[in-house]
Amino acid sequence: MNLAAIPSPTTSVWHVLGLPIRAYALCIVAGIIVAVLVMEHRLRRRGVAPWASLDMAVWAVPFGIVGARIYHVITSPADYFGAGGDPIRIFQIWEGGLGIWGAVAGGAVGAWLAARQLGLPLSVFADALAPALPLAQAVGRLGNWFNNELYGSVTTLPWGLRVHDMDRADPGHATVIDGKAVTLPDLYHPTFLYELLWNLGVAGLVFLLDRKFKFGRGRAFAVYVMGYCAGRFWIELMRVDEANRILGVRLNVFTSVLVLLGALIYFLLVKGPREYVVPIDAPDTAPEPAGAGGDVSQVDVGGQPASAKPPTAYRVVSEERFQAYQRTGVLPPAGPDPAGAADSDPVPAGAPDSDPVPAGAPDSDPVPAGATTEPAEPEGKPSSSASADEH
């Protein structure tokens, strides 16, 4: 018995000065803004310069949109090729057709390019994005509500979604007969809402686990991927919209399983503490006061390290050295910390992430491929190092 019917909007497109304003696009943009703000906060806490998240977004968002569209076209070829297909519709993205799997893959390519520009390990960006991405997806799912799409089968549960018959001759508006919007018979599972709530739960889970265990090397992002895929698996089984199938099962069900297994394998094999970064040219000795002579120098221990412009590259350091740098503006000498982690050499601009640490090996900060690791210096000796409609 249905105790409450969830209403759906009758309009998803408005025209302002002759230009169409689409609810779906607004939801996607709002989700991106949420993700950037959350990621920005997390990147700063790891030592990245302010608003590096915008540099990431400039690369990741366009690549993500292109990747999402490519995935949709590949998995729904009948709409664009063959009998009744129209290839030019591939570029009509405003009609809908975006796949989250392609969005993540394309966004990852864009983020990698941005990371090379910033001289920042990609894993730092990925772990900062981990709880932000499901929040963005949750906000974006509201666009499906406006479009009256991506609902499930008929339901007799105490709740159900009322769906309008959308007018194909007037896209973005419900069919109207005698001044009344036409609805489909029965009530349906609001699968878009299930996924929205699930994504909020995944964001909270990633945040809490990362806060407790301080994941590094992209492991927080792997937790997000596993959590999202687990939810997408059962929600996909409830959907009734058109989709390509393999052995009678929706393609995205298989995709969810394969991606989840890949993320699980990565999470189990890759080890390492949370990564913190400092500018590649972070000073390892205190500057002498102006006009002072001799070897005596003073440091404002209450100040924060300041820079007139963003660093050209970063180096990964242990949490202890990062905190000391944040307090004093001086990077203390390298050496094993209480957890046995040693600092890495500088991360040159464009350097790829370091190889995973074998299981059982002592935790260490990642060393970029091709970089030469210098031995830890004796305690007390200054260091000489210079230092991302959806299917």
Side-chain angles (χ1 to χ4, degrees), residues 77-112:
D79 295 337
Y80 310 98
F81 306 103
D86 184 5
I88 196 64
R89 292 181 57 213
I90 293 175
F91 304 99
Q92 297 173 351
I93 194 172
W94 55 87
E95 293 185 352
L98 298 174
I100 182 60
W101 314 110
V104 173
V109 173
W112 176 72

Side-chain angles (χ1 to χ4, degrees), residues 4-18:
I6 303 173
S8 294
T10 59
T11 302
S12 63
V13 180
W14 304 271
H15 288 81
V16 178
L17 300 177

Side-chain angles (χ1 to χ4, degrees), residues 23-38:
Y24 188 82
L26 293 177
C27 292
I28 294 296
V29 171
I32 291 172
I33 293 173
V34 169
V36 167
L37 292 176
V38 173

Side-chain angles (χ1 to χ4, degrees), residues 273 318 320 335-343 361-365:
S318 66
E320 288 73 16
D337 61 21
D343 296 308
D363 288 343
S364 63
D365 292 320

Side-chain angles (χ1 to χ4, degrees), residues 9 18 38 41-42 49 60 83 99 139 167 173-174 187 205 239 245 254 260 269 273 277 282 305 308:
V38 173
H41 174 73
R42 289 170 61 83
V139 175
D167 191 348
H173 298 83
L187 299 179
L205 178 67
R239 285 170 51 171
R245 297 174 181 268
F254 291 101
L260 188 154
L269 293 181
V277 296

Side-chain angles (χ1 to χ4, degrees), residues 131-153:
L133 190 52
L135 290 178
Q137 291 174 268
V139 175
R141 276 304 181 197
L142 290 174
N144 302 129
W145 177 58
F146 277 96
N147 285 350
N148 285 254
E149 62 187 2
L150 301 194
Y151 49 87
S153 58

Side-chain angles (χ1 to χ4, degrees), residues 8-388:
S8 294
T10 59
T11 302
S12 63
V13 180
W14 304 271
H15 288 81
V16 178
L17 300 177
L19 298 176
I21 306 299
R22 306 178 189 277
Y24 188 82
L26 293 177
C27 292
I28 294 296
V29 171
I32 291 172
I33 293 173
V34 169
V36 167
L37 292 176
V38 173
M39 179 176 61
E40 173 67 20
H41 174 73
R42 289 170 61 83
L43 285 174
R44 291 193 189 190
R45 292 177 65 87
R46 287 158 171 76
V48 181
W51 299 115
S53 59
L54 294 181
D55 295 308
M56 287 289 181
V58 166
W59 286 88
V61 171
F63 274 81
I65 293 175
V66 172
R69 188 60 171 177
I70 291 175
Y71 180 87
H72 169 75
V73 172
I74 291 176
T75 56
S76 304
D79 295 337
Y80 310 98
F81 306 103
D86 184 5
I88 196 64
R89 292 181 57 213
I90 293 175
F91 304 99
Q92 297 173 351
I93 194 172
W94 55 87
E95 293 185 352
L98 298 174
I100 182 60
W101 314 110
V104 173
V109 173
W112 176 72
L113 293 172
R116 289 176 61 89
Q117 294 284 333
L118 297 172
L120 182 70
L122 179 60
S123 56
V124 173
F125 163 70
D127 284 335
L129 179 64
L133 190 52
L135 290 178
Q137 291 174 268
V139 175
R141 276 304 181 197
L142 290 174
N144 302 129
W145 177 58
F146 277 96
N147 285 350
N148 285 254
E149 62 187 2
L150 301 194
Y151 49 87
S153 58
V154 174
T155 179
T156 56
L157 291 174
W159 61 87
L161 178 68
R162 193 175 301 283
V163 180
H164 290 100
D165 178 31
M166 302 305 284
D167 191 348
R168 292 173 176 79
D170 188 13
H173 298 83
T175 301
V176 177
I177 298 179
D178 296 332
K180 185 177 180 180
V182 178
T183 60
L184 301 182
D186 302 310
L187 299 179
Y188 302 84
H189 279 290
T191 51
F192 79 89
L193 180 59
Y194 297 162
E195 187 169 333
L196 184 157
L197 296 175
W198 183 271
N199 286 336
L200 293 178
V202 170
L205 178 67
V206 173
F207 176 80
L208 293 176
L209 291 179
D210 186 45
R211 183 176 182 179
K212 180 176 181 180
F213 298 106
K214 296 186 176 182
F215 295 130
R217 306 290 298 282
R219 300 182 81 216
F221 192 83
V223 172
Y224 148 70
V225 173
M226 289 186 287
Y228 174 75
C229 290
R232 187 61 184 266
F233 174 82
W234 66 268
I235 294 172
E236 193 72 25
L237 293 173
M238 300 178 66
R239 285 170 51 171
V240 295
D241 52 297
E242 290 295 325
N244 286 336
R245 297 174 181 268
I246 299 177
L247 301 177
V249 180
R250 295 170 68 95
L251 173 62
N252 283 329
V253 173
F254 291 101
T255 305
S256 297
V257 173
L258 293 176
V259 176
L260 188 154
L261 291 176
L264 176 61
I265 292 172
Y266 181 91
F267 182 82
L268 294 177
L269 293 181
V270 176
K271 305 294 182 181
R274 178 180 292 172
E275 296 156 298
Y276 296 88
V277 296
V278 297
I280 195 172
D281 57 353
D284 53 11
T285 58
E288 294 186 2
D295 297 328
V296 180
S297 61
Q298 296 179 354
V299 178
D300 178 9
V301 296
Q304 294 289 333
S307 177
K309 57 183 179 179
T312 58
Y314 295 88
R315 62 176 299 180
V316 178
V317 298
S318 66
E319 182 177 2
E320 288 73 16
R321 295 185 75 203
F322 171 75
Q323 292 176 347
Y325 176 72
Q326 290 291 299
R327 290 193 306 268
T328 67
V330 176
L331 189 64
D337 61 21
D343 296 308
S344 73
D345 283 333
V347 180
D353 288 306
S354 58
D355 294 329
V357 178
D363 288 343
S364 63
D365 292 320
V367 180
T372 303
T373 305
E374 298 179 1
E377 306 205 8
E379 185 177 357
K381 181 179 178 181
S383 170
S384 59
S385 298
S387 294

